[in-house]
Amino acid sequence: MHTALVSTNDISAQGSARLGDAASHHLRTVLRVHVGDEVRLLDGCGHRRLATIVDTGKAGVVCEMRGEVETLPQPPVDITLFQCVAKPVRFDWLLEKAVELGVARIVPIVSARSVVRIAAGEKQDRWQRIVEAALCQCGGGWITEIEAPLKWNEALARMMAFDGPLLVGALFGTTRPVGEVLQELRTTEIPRSVGWLIGPEGDFSPDELDSAIQAARAIPVSLGTNVLRVETAALFGVSATLAILG
C-alpha cells in the first residue's frame, strides 16, 4: 500500500479531500497511483488514516477518506541526536534509519574534524525530503525534526540547555559502558528526554569533548571495544536507549 504525507487538515477531512501540491505530486508522479488504489495517509503528528484514490487530475489527487483517524502513541523516549555531519551517503542513510527508529529530532553539527563542510541552512531541504520519504516508507506516526546545521559553539549552547541526560560516545578519556549508564537511569525516574552526541569520522577534538562534558554535563560512554562508524555508533546508542528505557 502506498503512503503519503499530508496536512492534518487533509487527514481530518470528512468525505473526500483534494490533497496539497506536494502530496499530489508524490502520489501521481512518483508512485503513479490510479483511481481505486488504497493509500495510507500520515500527517507526521501522530495521525494516520486509510483512503481511496478517486481522482488523479492535474488539480490535485482527491482521496475518499475511510474510517476514523487513528491516533498513534508517541515514542516512549524523546531522543534528540546531536550528530556531527558525515559524508553525504552515510549521513543520508543515518537520517533514514533514525526516522525508522523514531528519533524525535536531529541537530547536525559541523565540528572541527568534520570531513564535510556545510554552511548554515545548506542541505536542509534535501535532508527534509529524506526524512519525509523515510517516514512514508516505515509508516511511522511522528516525523523526525531535522534542524539546520550548527557550528560547534552554537550546538554546545543547545546541549547546555537540553532538558534531560546527554550521553556522548567517546573514544578516549574516562568512559562508562553505555548499558551501565542506561540501566542506572532506569533505576531512578526514567527520563522523558534523552540526548545523544556522536562525533564525525575524525572524532571530536579534545577541546570539543572536554567542553561537552564540562559545560553541557554530557556523560561519556563506551560503545564497546570496536571503533564504530559514525552511523553505526548513532544507531547503536539510539537502539540501546529504546531497548533499556523504552
Side-chain angles (χ1 to χ4, degrees):
M1 181 184 297
H2 295 309
T3 303
L5 187 64
V6 302
S7 71
T8 301
N9 286 338
D10 285 342
I11 211 169
S12 303
Q14 299 299 317
S16 62
R18 189 178 303 277
L19 305 183
D21 292 343
S24 293
H25 172 78
H26 181 71
L27 285 168
R28 185 177 55 237
T29 307
V30 179
L31 299 180
R32 298 185 182 279
V33 296
H34 302 283
V35 172
D37 286 352
E38 293 184 346
V39 293
R40 176 175 54 185
L41 304 179
L42 308 170
D43 68 352
C45 300
H47 303 114
R48 183 167 62 191
R49 195 175 189 182
L50 297 179
T52 301
I53 303 293
V54 296
D55 187 3
T56 59
K58 292 184 178 180
V61 171
V62 178
C63 290
E64 183 73 26
M65 300 302 170
R66 292 170 41 200
E68 300 298 322
V69 177
E70 182 183 2
T71 300
L72 304 174
Q74 289 188 330
V77 183
D78 187 286
I79 298 177
T80 297
L81 182 58
F82 295 93
Q83 177 66 57
C84 295
V85 294
K87 294 178 181 178
V89 172
R90 292 181 182 173
F91 198 75
D92 291 354
W93 186 86
L94 170 56
L95 292 179
E96 291 180 350
K97 304 311 168 189
V99 173
E100 291 178 25
L101 289 174
V103 170
R105 69 196 53 79
I106 299 173
V107 182
I109 303 172
V110 180
S111 57
R113 296 178 179 174
S114 293
V115 175
V116 179
R117 292 294 166 184
I118 301 173
E122 186 182 355
K123 293 185 181 288
Q124 193 174 7
D125 288 345
R126 169 180 167 76
W127 291 341
Q128 184 65 35
R129 290 194 298 271
I130 292 172
V131 164
E132 292 177 358
L135 185 74
C136 289
Q137 185 277 323
C138 71
W142 301 85
I143 195 163
T144 301
E145 180 184 356
I146 178 73
E147 300 189 7
L150 301 176
K151 295 180 180 179
W152 178 260
N153 287 338
E154 297 170 322
L156 183 62
R158 285 288 309 279
M159 288 185 279
M160 291 172 64
F162 183 73
D163 184 19
L166 174 64
L167 282 64
V168 53
L171 295 179
F172 57 90
T174 302
T175 62
R176 296 173 59 194
V178 60
E180 177 183 298
V181 172
L182 290 172
Q183 287 288 1
E184 186 176 279
L185 292 174
R186 184 179 176 84
T187 60
T188 58
E189 183 179 355
I190 296 179
R192 181 69 187 90
S193 299
V194 174
W196 269 96
L197 171 60
I198 301 294
E201 285 96 342
D203 199 20
F204 300 108
S205 71
D207 287 345
E208 287 171 341
L209 183 58
D210 183 66
S211 65
I213 295 171
Q214 298 300 324
R217 304 179 303 282
I219 305 169
V221 298
S222 168
L223 302 180
T225 57
N226 293 345
V227 177
L228 306 180
R229 291 185 183 273
V230 170
E231 63 274 29
T232 309
L235 298 180
F236 182 105
V238 170
S239 299
T241 303
L242 293 171
I244 295 176
L245 300 183

